[in-house]
Amino acid sequence: MSTPPVRKQLPRHVEPRKLVAQGASLSGNAPTAEMTRLADAVISMDEGAQVELHFFRDQEGHATVEGKVGLEVNLQCQRCLQPVHKILAGELHLGIAWDEERAEKLPHRLEPWIVDTDVADLFTMVEDELLLALPIVAYHDADQCPGTASYSTGQFEDAAENPFGVLAQLKTRQ
């Protein structure tokens, strides 16, 4: 019986300048235990997000991080209010900026990742990307949602009296 491959855990704190200078690549799991903002947005999630990151200088000389993040979560279906399984997946194209002024000068194809010290929190950056990957509204597929069969607009009669009915009577008298 084979066991699934074990992915190594990413370091929480990294030095982006060194990683860019080395042209480093990192891959592994980012534990979700401390991703409290993401935990507040989902019902449950896997213990680790899969992350692949590549640090380099692009052709224009910008310190850049590109990669992918992925995580399996359970969200609340907005039709039936039951858990719905989703895979959050995102591609990131970040320009590392050391302050707000440099962040504004990045090209539009790069989202700024502001790192104002020598050491950056990689898990916070991953959590930000996963939050951006959340769907605006979560639903089961229509044929699999138990809530689709339980509601109907149905037929109804408007029993309320028309407030302008008196005006219609006055018009017919003239």
Side-chain angles (χ1 to χ4, degrees):
M1 184 154 123
S2 65
T3 59
V6 177
R7 292 182 63 107
K8 66 178 182 174
Q9 181 174 322
L10 289 177
R12 179 171 191 131
H13 300 287
V14 296
E15 295 181 35
R17 291 177 202 233
K18 287 183 180 179
L19 294 173
V20 168
Q22 297 168 355
S25 292
L26 300 175
S27 65
N29 284 336
T32 56
E34 295 182 40
M35 296 184 185
T36 56
R37 294 176 296 148
L38 185 60
D40 289 343
V42 301
I43 295 173
S44 64
M45 59 186 161
D46 280 355
E47 292 180 4
Q50 294 80 38
V51 181
E52 292 180 19
L53 300 173
H54 308 286
F55 294 80
F56 62 96
R57 287 212 178 267
D58 66 7
Q59 293 176 349
E60 298 170 356
H62 300 289
T64 305
V65 181
E66 290 188 349
K68 297 177 183 181
V69 295
L71 178 66
E72 293 186 30
V73 298
N74 285 313
L75 301 168
Q76 186 176 43
C77 175
Q78 296 304 302
R79 281 192 198 111
C80 66
L81 303 179
Q82 298 299 313
V84 58
H85 180 78
K86 295 289 182 184
I87 297 175
L88 303 182
E91 288 191 16
L92 50 109
H93 305 278
L94 304 176
I96 302 171
W98 313 119
D99 55 37
E100 291 282 337
E101 184 179 314
R102 291 182 186 164
E104 292 175 4
K105 294 179 183 176
L106 288 171
H108 292 289
R109 62 181 169 73
L110 295 174
E111 289 291 321
W113 180 29
I114 300 175
V115 180
D116 54 359
T117 61
D118 288 339
V119 177
D121 188 339
L122 201 58
F123 295 172
T124 300
M125 185 262 290
V126 169
E127 182 180 23
D128 290 344
E129 293 301 321
L130 290 169
L131 285 166
L132 290 171
L134 282 169
I136 294 172
V137 181
Y139 294 115
H140 287 103
D141 291 334
D143 60 336
Q144 296 178 354
C145 187
T148 56
S150 66
Y151 66 87
S152 168
T153 56
Q155 299 292 331
F156 72 96
E157 288 186 29
D158 189 7
E161 203 175 299
N162 185 349
F164 299 105
V166 175
L167 293 175
Q169 290 173 1
L170 290 174
K171 186 177 179 182
T172 58
R173 287 185 189 171
Q174 293 179 357

